[in-house]
Amino acid sequence: MLSRAVCGTSRQLAPALGYLGSRQKHSLPDLPYDYGALEPHINAQIMQLHHSKHHAAYVNNLNVTEEKYQEALAKGDVTAQIALQPALKFNGGGHINHSIFWTNLSPNGGGEPKGELLEAIKRDFGSFDKFKEKLTAASVGVQGSGWGWLGFNKERGHLQIAACPNQDPLQGTTGLIPLLGIDVWEHAYYLQYKNVRPDYLKAIWNVINWENIHGLQKVNHDRYADHTLMIPAR
């Protein structure tokens, strides 16, 4: 069952800040495909800048912030710890979200999911087309920058669509377990689609990696163990 698999995975997730006591630095994950592999839907220039500049900045800033947090912990400086929380949330969320996003895309993606995931989508949204429309609408509707998500609500045992502002991580802010994330920050599409976000969202469905999402209940459990606020170094 999809619910049993996702709940099993969630038990592997470490609590927020759980790695601060004895942590290694985070690193930028390699992409599982070339920068130009998602063309014509997402061009190589966007992918290179998005991965090597934007995601890298979140990783670097997260490492710096964690070092400062460690110092504040060692000094017992609660005021400094509180002051660092927004930076931890923003840069930690940026690292989490993008680490999920890259694996959610594939040059061999598109089409529809199969098996349990498709059945769960039909159960919770009526049909795949209705699900697609709802997630697209939620993503278009994000004001400013943020993300559209398909998540699993382990308390209710069903799939749920959500939108998060900025780099807020889905699980850390809503409790939903992330399955599919769509980045709607302008850096994800502006160089190709300008300010026409709906065109970008129409195109991205052609490269959604349903095999990756299927892997949640099959062979990719360990991959999702990294999707907590503090991601162990690879």
Side-chain angles (χ1 to χ4, degrees), residues 39 44 50 64 75 86 107 114 119 125 129 131-132 135 147 156 166 174 184 188 194 221 234:
E39 291 187 340
H50 199 172
V64 170
K75 295 176 181 178
K114 300 176 182 178
E119 293 306 311
F125 302 105
D129 286 340
F131 152 72
K132 188 175 174 181
L135 182 52
W147 292 73
R156 299 182 179 179
N166 301 313
T174 71
V184 291
K194 305 304 185 227
H221 285 188
R234 294 175 182 272

Side-chain angles (χ1 to χ4, degrees), residues 170-186:
L170 183 69
Q171 187 170 11
T173 58
T174 71
L176 300 175
I177 296 173
L179 302 181
L180 168 63
I182 299 179
D183 189 349
V184 291
W185 280 65
E186 283 195 342

Side-chain angles (χ1 to χ4, degrees), residues 12 37 92 131 141 151 175 197:
Q12 301 176 31
F131 152 72
R197 185 185 289 177

Side-chain angles (χ1 to χ4, degrees), residues 24-65:
Q24 293 179 301
K25 287 189 175 183
H26 305 289
S27 60
L28 182 68
D30 293 332
L31 293 186
Y33 38 77
D34 295 333
Y35 286 134
L38 303 182
E39 291 187 340
H41 311 292
I42 305 176
N43 69 35
Q45 184 183 19
I46 288 175
M47 291 298 296
Q48 182 174 11
L49 290 171
H50 199 172
H51 176 257
S52 68
K53 300 298 183 182
H54 291 281
H55 189 176
Y58 295 122
V59 173
N60 293 335
N61 291 333
L62 177 58
N63 285 323
V64 170
T65 304

Side-chain angles (χ1 to χ4, degrees), residues 108-119:
N108 300 314
E112 298 185 6
K114 300 176 182 178
E116 283 188 22
L117 180 59
L118 180 58
E119 293 306 311

